[in-house]
Amino acid sequence: MNAMSERIGVVTGGAGFIGSHMVDLLLARGYRVRVIDSLVGGREANLAHHGGNPKLAFERRDRQSIAQYEHHGGGCRGRQSHRADFVDLRQ
Ligand SMILES: NC(=O)c1ccc[n+]([C@@H]2O[C@H](COP(=O)([O-])OP(=O)(O)OC[C@H]3O[C@@H](n4cnc5c(N)ncnc54)[C@H](O)[C@@H]3O)[C@@H](O)[C@H]2O)c1
């Protein structure tokens, strides 16, 4: 697969329980995965079993710092975006 056709997944909250499983799934399906997680609740250890995988990139940052167009893939084909960082609506 060349760079133009490579599928990319963006998982906010990807160091959390649900998000890290989403990362596992996307990597298993051949995606390049970008995780954005502030580590307010999750742990990088949840992704440790992917250590050294060049298809996984981790960024410690708040998802709200991501421009809207970027969060939704900028309209690029082949991208998927997943959120696993939902806040408690009762707060
Ligand atoms: N675990 C379950 O069984 C379950 C079931 C139903 C619903 N949910 C809901 O799904 C969501 C995720 O659950 P979980 O168990 O994976 O929680 P989790 O705390 O393990 O994961 C959430 C992740 O999001 C990150 N995060 C939170 N706010 C962020 C922000 N602003 N920017 C970047 N990263 C941020 C946290 O650091 C954490 O890694 C929660 O809202 C939870 O209530 C979970």
Side-chain angles (χ1 to χ4, degrees):
M1 189 177 291
N2 63 40
M4 291 297 288
S5 61
E6 186 169 49
R7 294 177 301 173
I8 299 170
V10 178
V11 183
T12 59
F17 177 71
I18 291 175
S20 60
H21 284 89
M22 182 60 69
V23 172
D24 294 346
L25 181 72
L26 290 171
L27 286 171
R29 292 188 176 182
Y31 280 75
R32 181 173 290 277
V33 180
R34 178 181 173 195
V35 170
I36 293 164
D37 197 300
S38 63
L39 297 183
V40 67
R43 302 181 305 137
E44 272 190 89
N46 288 335
L47 301 171
H49 54 292
H50 295 299
N53 186 336
K55 287 196 152 194
L56 176 61
F58 177 81
E59 293 174 49
R60 183 176 183 177
R61 61 191 283 193
D62 193 295
R63 73 167 172 80
Q64 294 184 15
S65 69
I66 305 166
Q68 195 73 6
Y69 79 92
E70 186 184 0
H71 181 65
H72 292 292
C76 296
R77 291 168 61 187
R79 286 204 180 194
Q80 290 204 358
S81 178
H82 298 280
R83 283 190 59 191
D85 60 348
F86 306 113
V87 296
D88 188 340
L89 295 176
R90 294 168 297 184
Q91 292 177 347

